[in-house]
């Protein structure tokens, strides 16, 4: 099974791309092409609906009158349907075209220009130089022979409605359309214009509503379509017929009334006979000769049944002899005699005269011998005048076909048109030209060919010659070929050419395991053949791979079967071909004997013990626990259990802990068990070193408590000295009260008196300083004036008298500065 699966996967991966391409593109009707065709049909439907929108709005959504126009537009979209009958080639969207006004057939612009030029040349070539250009000879449409003037020869490419020159290519419009409203006059003209967008083919009937009455004008006017405004009220016409006796009994109709269908007895023109005849033809003649006596009294009227008078006798009055040279006045009972002169009537030859005497009856044939020239003018001969002379010389001129000689005996020069069949092969390559031999191009083949699908139920008509290049029509019938695989019926698909697409049905063959094969049918798989040809060297081009159709074996069964892993951790669905106990790659997870850890081996088989009540207990195949005890210790115990991993509780910890006291100054050794088992108060006492706390309070004094945890108390009991503002009074008070601001020492009356005296001294010193400054300035002024006086010519000298200052003024600065500083400090205090 494993080898078969491996081979199947290799072939599938190696040939997937090539097989898809060959199967879908060459041997099947590709689903993608069907999708593209469906998209094209949807797009075409949208364009047609857009073209007919305005017309449908006028007809309240009805478009039954558009079938002929719709057929032309469908041919414009259908591949190969629009064919130029001149060159027998497809008319593409991006090619310049011309449309005939008569048959609306579409031709290439270049082809119709050449056709018109050749037609005009062939018509005007027999003319002489004098007649050339005097008449505007027309040229015909290749299909319907509708004639166009020389001036109507197309020279530019216009859209169908003729508004836009060189219309741009738009994939969302009808090919060669400008997309504007047609606006052509309807035929027959009714005063309205076409409402469709620019379109090929004839314009549909006018959809406008008009008020019109019936043919007999008896009914009231009703609203009807302009294209069907002629209508009948179906009442009797009632108009007087031409017989003047009866009225028209036909239903209301258009045009003149029919002749009266009734039968009546009517007399002939002469009134002798009466017969039953149609009332519509009252005038009729009988077969009897009139027979009434004429005015001469000798003869009777020889006219057949007639009306009115018979007239005078034809033998009365002046009558001429047979040669009409002599006139006689004779009674009507006598015949006119001959005059005896020569006849001299011109004979049938038109040259000679009759030489006989005046005679009754026709003249004889001309028997004179003359020198006659033959009709072609090459030979002369003496012979009776009444006989024509035709020589045996055959005309060697070329007829108007410019191919064959005239070969007519004694041709006068006006050779008749060639009477042979053209016989040239037409552009369709299937038929020969049936027309008479002619110059120029042959007319297009008028035949059409049916192009059928493979089953022959879908048929399209194309111009003869296009059947070899036209794409066969899409057939909506289901393919009826028998299946080529082991299935009784094949998948439903449309009629197609070539091989049927590969079967995609489920194989459903019975596998060895009992399940059915679910993969797509592989009876005709394409397999690439390898190793058939060894290249001779690197210069040899590699050949394309060869594919053969062969039946591949069914792949291994992939039906999911629930299978439990070896360690009974999970149940996983595995393919049927590999459904056996397996390892899930998880850890075993069974509880070991230590009751703390599980087996860490990869999922493995475990022997079930009869004594084991729990299915999740480790077996002899599981690993043995070699870990240390990892059970949680009591809070605060940092030591591990001295035993290996074991079940149950761990023994008590007997180790000593080295720990600092609360004040961090002493190291204490305490048994771990006591510390972990003590409560908060006992722990507080065990960790205390029983010494005074060394911490400093915020006031700056040392804590008076024994070693403790947490922050020190703030109620300091140390005694401190408190002074007044002037620093004269002092008092001892507890530190905590001062910190709380509960005690304040104020100055007494003595302190206030001393402060007043100090202020007076300061004021006196300030005044003295001001006066001293004034004296110094006065001295400087006097010294300046003395220096000015010393500049005189005599340069008198003046002894400067130095004023000696008092001793208190010399040392006032040294005294005042300390005193001022002490005063500032006192004020601040």
């Amino acid at each position: 099974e494993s080898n078969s699966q491996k081979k199947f996967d290799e072939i599938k991966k190696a040939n997937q791309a090539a097989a898809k391409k060959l199967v879908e593109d060459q041997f099947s009707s590709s689903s993608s092409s069907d999708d593209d065709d469906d998209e094209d049909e949807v797009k075409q439907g949208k364009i047609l609906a857009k073209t007919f929108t305005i017309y449908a709005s006028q007809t309240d959504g009805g478009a039954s009158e558009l079938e002929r126009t719709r057929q032309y537009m469908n041919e414009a979209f259908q591949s190969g349907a629009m064919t130029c009958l001149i060159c027998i080639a497809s008319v593409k969207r991006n090619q310049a075209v011309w449309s005939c006004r008569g048959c609306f057939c579409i031709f290439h612009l270049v082809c119709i220009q050449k056709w018109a030029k050749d037609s005009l040349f062939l018509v005007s070539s027999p003319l002489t130089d004098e007649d050339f250009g005097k008449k505007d000879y027309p040229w015909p449409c290749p299909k319907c022979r509708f004639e166009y003037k020389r001036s109507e020869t197309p020279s530019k490419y216009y859209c169908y409605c003729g508004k836009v020159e060189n219309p741009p290519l738009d994939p969302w419009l009808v090919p060669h359309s400008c997309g504007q409203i047609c606006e052509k006059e309807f035929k027959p003209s009714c005063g309205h214009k076409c409402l469709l967008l620019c379109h090929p083919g004839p314009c549909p009937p006018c959809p406008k509503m008009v008020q019109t009455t019936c043919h007999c004008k008896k009914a009231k006017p009703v609203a009807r379509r302009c294209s069907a405004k002629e209508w009948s009220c179906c009442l009797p016409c009632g108009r007087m017929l031409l017989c003047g006796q009866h009225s028209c009994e036909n239903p209301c109709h258009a045009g003149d009334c029919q002749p009266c269908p009734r039968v009546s007895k009517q007399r002939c023109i002469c009134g002798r006979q009466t017969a039953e005849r149609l009332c519509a033809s009252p005038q009729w003649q009988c077969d009897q000769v009139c027979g009434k006596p004429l005015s001469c009294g000798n003869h009777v009227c020889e006219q057949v049944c007639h009306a009115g008078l018979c007239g005078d006798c034809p033998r009365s009055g002046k009558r001429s002899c047979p040669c009409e040279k002599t006139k006689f006045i004779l009674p009507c009972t006598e015949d006119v005699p001959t005059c005896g002169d020569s006849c001299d009537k011109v004979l049938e030859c038109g040259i000679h005269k009759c030489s006989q005497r005046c005679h009754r009856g026709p003249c004889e044939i001309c028997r004179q011998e003359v020198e006659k020239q033959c009709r072609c003018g090459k030979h002369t001969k003496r012979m009776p005048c009444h006989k024509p002379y035709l020589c045996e010389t055959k005309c060697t001129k070329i007829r108007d076909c410019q191919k064959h000689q005239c070969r007519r005996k004694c041709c006068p020069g006006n050779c008749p048109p060639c009477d042979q069949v053209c016989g040239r092969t037409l552009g369709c390559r299937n038929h020969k030209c049936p027309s008479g031999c002619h110059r120029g191009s042959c007319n297009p083949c008028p035949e059409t060919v049916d192009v059928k699908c493979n089953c022959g139920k879908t048929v399209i008509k194309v111009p003869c010659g296009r059947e070899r290049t036209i794409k066969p029509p899409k057939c909506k019938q289901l393919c009826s070929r028998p299946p080529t695989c082991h299935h009784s019926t094949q998948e439903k698909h449309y009629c197609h050419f070539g091989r049927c697409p590969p079967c995609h049905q489920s194989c459903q063959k019975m596998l060895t395991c009992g399940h059915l094969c679910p993969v797509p049918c592989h009876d005709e798989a394409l397999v690439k053949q390898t190793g058939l040809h060894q290249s001779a060297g690197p210069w040899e081009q590699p050949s394309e791979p060869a594919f053969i159709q062969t039946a591949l074996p069914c792949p291994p069964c992939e039906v999911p079967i629930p299978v439990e892993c070896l360690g009974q951790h999970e149940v996983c669905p595995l393919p049927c071909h590999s459904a056996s106990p397996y390892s899930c790659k998880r850890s075993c997870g069974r509880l070991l004997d230590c009751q703390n850890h599980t087996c860490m081996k990869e999922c493995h088989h475990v022997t079930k013990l009869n004594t084991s009540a729990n299915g999740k207990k480790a077996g002899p195949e599981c690993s043995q626990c070699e870990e240390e005890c990892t059970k949680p210790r009591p809070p605060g115990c940092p030591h591990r259990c001295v035993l290996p991993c074991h079940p149950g509780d761990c023994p008590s910890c007997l180790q000593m802990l080295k720990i600092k006291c609360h004040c961090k100054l002493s190291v204490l050794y305490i048994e771990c068990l006591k510390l972990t088992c003590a409560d908060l108060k006992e722990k507080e006492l065990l960790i205390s070193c029983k010494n005074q706390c060394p911490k400093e309070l915020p006031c700056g004094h040392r804590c008076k408590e024994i070693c403790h945890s947490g922050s020190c108390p703030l109620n300091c009991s140390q005694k401190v000295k408190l002074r007044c503002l002037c620093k004269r009074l002092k008092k001892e008070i507890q530190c905590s009260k001062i910190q709380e601001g509960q005690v304040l020492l104020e100055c007494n009356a003595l302190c206030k008196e001393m402060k007043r005296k100090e202020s007076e001294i300061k004021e006196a010193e300030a005044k003295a300083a001001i006066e001293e400054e004034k004296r110094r300035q006065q001295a400087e002024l006097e010294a300046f004036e003395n220096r000015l006086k010393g500049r005189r010519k005599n340069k008198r000298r003046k002894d400067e008298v130095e004023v000696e200052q008092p001793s208190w003024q010399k040392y006032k600065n040294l005294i005042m500065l300390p005193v001022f500083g002490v005063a500032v400090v006192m004020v601040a205090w």
Side-chain angles (χ1 to χ4, degrees), residues 205-219:
C206 181
K208 294 286 186 179
M209 301 298 290
V210 295
Q211 293 287 335
T212 179
T213 185
C214 63
H215 300 294
C216 64
K217 312 298 182 183
K218 293 180 180 179

Side-chain angles (χ1 to χ4, degrees), residues 444-729:
C445 181
E447 301 293 332
T448 58
V449 180
D450 292 342
V451 178
K452 301 181 180 180
C453 65
N454 189 36
C455 66
K457 294 182 179 180
T458 303
V459 182
I460 60 172
K461 290 185 179 296
V462 298
C464 182
R466 290 289 294 167
E467 68 276 3
R468 292 183 290 271
T469 58
I470 196 69
K471 186 177 179 182
K474 287 195 309 177
C475 181
K476 296 300 181 180
Q477 301 294 328
L478 295 178
C479 180
S480 59
R481 296 181 184 178
T484 56
C485 59
H486 67 277
H487 292 101
S488 59
T489 59
Q490 63 176 350
E491 288 182 307
K492 292 183 179 180
H493 59 278
Y494 294 130
C495 170
H496 61 90
F497 290 92
R499 297 176 59 89
C500 289
C503 180
H504 293 91
Q505 301 181 68
S506 179
C507 179
Q508 296 298 311
K509 287 183 180 179
M510 183 67 70
L511 301 177
T512 56
C513 61
H515 297 113
L516 298 178
C517 180
V519 299
C521 180
H522 45 83
D523 286 352
E524 295 181 340
L526 287 177
V527 180
K528 182 172 69 174
Q529 288 183 318
T530 57
L532 297 178
H533 175 72
Q534 296 293 335
S535 60
W539 59 85
E540 186 176 354
Q541 294 294 333
S543 60
E544 295 184 357
F547 290 86
I548 60 172
Q549 280 191 341
T550 182
L552 296 179
C554 293
C557 182
E558 298 290 340
V559 176
I561 303 296
V563 179
E564 190 176 26
C565 68
L566 295 171
Q568 299 179 354
H569 300 108
E570 64 179 16
V571 176
C572 183
L574 295 180
C576 180
H577 72 277
S578 61
S580 60
Y582 67 99
S583 174
C584 65
K585 307 301 181 182
R586 301 180 186 175
S587 59
C588 177
R590 294 179 181 270
L591 190 63
L592 300 178
D593 294 336
C594 66
Q595 301 296 320
N596 297 324
H597 299 95
T598 57
C599 179
M600 299 304 294
K601 281 186 177 181
E602 190 178 284
C603 178
H604 60 88
H605 175 70
V606 179
T607 303
K608 293 183 180 181
L609 301 176
N610 296 331
T611 58
S612 176
N614 188 5
K616 294 298 182 181
K617 190 174 182 180
E621 293 85 359
C622 295
S623 60
Q624 299 294 326
C625 183
E626 297 177 355
E627 300 289 333
E628 296 180 354
C629 180
T630 57
K631 289 184 178 180
R633 305 297 293 162
C637 178
H639 307 104
R640 290 184 177 182
C641 180
V642 296
L643 298 177
C645 186
H646 60 87
D649 297 333
C650 296
S652 301
C653 183
L654 300 178
Q655 297 189 32
M656 299 300 289
L657 286 176
K658 182 180 179 181
I659 190 171
K660 287 187 177 183
C661 64
H662 296 299
C663 57
K664 309 298 181 181
L665 296 178
S666 301
V667 178
L668 304 177
Y669 289 91
I670 307 172
E671 192 175 349
C672 182
L673 180 61
K674 291 182 180 180
L675 187 62
T676 55
C677 295
D679 56 5
L680 293 178
K681 289 184 178 181
E682 291 176 352
K683 282 185 179 181
E684 183 76 18
L685 295 175
L686 287 174
I687 301 176
S688 177
C689 62
K690 306 299 189 294
N691 296 325
Q692 184 182 354
C693 180
K695 295 179 183 178
E696 186 177 348
L697 297 175
C699 61
H701 301 113
R702 184 177 177 181
C703 180
K704 300 295 184 180
E705 300 291 333
I706 299 173
C707 179
H708 62 87
S709 62
S711 58
C712 298
L714 298 179
N715 52 348
C716 181
S717 60
Q718 182 73 24
K719 297 286 186 176
V720 295
K721 291 181 180 181
L722 180 63
R723 291 180 180 272
C724 66
L725 294 177
C726 64
K727 305 296 183 179
R728 194 181 68 83
L729 301 177

Side-chain angles (χ1 to χ4, degrees), residues 318-390:
K318 289 184 178 182
R319 288 181 289 171
S320 300
C321 66
C323 66
E324 297 182 354
K325 291 182 178 179
T326 306
K327 293 183 178 182
F328 299 91
I329 299 176
L330 297 173
C332 64
T333 56
E334 295 182 7
D335 295 329
V336 177
T338 58
C339 64
D341 196 356
S342 60
C343 180
D344 288 339
K345 290 182 179 178
V346 178
L347 299 178
E348 292 181 356
C349 65
I351 300 174
H352 305 105
K353 296 181 179 180
C354 181
S355 59
Q356 294 180 0
R357 293 188 178 277
C358 180
H359 60 87
R360 293 183 176 88
C363 298
E364 293 182 352
I365 57 177
C366 184
R367 299 182 182 276
Q368 294 188 23
E369 288 189 358
V370 293
E371 191 78 18
K372 273 197 162 186
Q373 191 176 20
C374 66
R375 189 168 54 183
C376 64
K378 295 182 179 180
H379 304 279
T380 58
K381 185 178 181 181
R382 192 166 186 83
M383 58 187 303
C385 183
H386 71 276
K387 292 184 178 180
Y389 175 39
L390 298 178

Side-chain angles (χ1 to χ4, degrees), residues 261-274:
R262 296 190 179 186
V263 178
S264 61
K265 290 184 178 181
Q266 300 178 10
R267 289 182 177 275
C268 64
I269 297 177
C270 65
R272 293 181 182 181
Q273 293 184 5
T274 303

Side-chain angles (χ1 to χ4, degrees), residues 21-34:
K21 183 177 180 181
L22 289 174
V23 171
E24 294 180 0
D25 295 348
Q26 299 180 12
F27 302 109
S28 69
S29 54
S30 174
S31 59
S32 61
S33 63
D34 293 341

Side-chain angles (χ1 to χ4, degrees), residues 276-330:
E276 290 186 353
R277 295 180 57 84
L278 291 176
C279 188
S281 55
Q283 300 290 330
W284 66 284
Q285 287 180 324
C286 63
D287 297 333
Q288 295 183 5
V289 179
C290 179
K292 292 181 181 180
L294 297 178
S295 58
C296 63
N298 299 320
H299 302 94
V300 295
C301 179
E302 296 178 356
Q303 298 181 21
V304 182
C305 178
H306 66 88
L309 300 177
C310 295
D312 296 334
C313 179
R315 296 171 64 90
S316 61
K318 289 184 178 182
R319 288 181 289 171
S320 300
C321 66
C323 66
E324 297 182 354
K325 291 182 178 179
T326 306
K327 293 183 178 182
F328 299 91
I329 299 176
L330 297 173

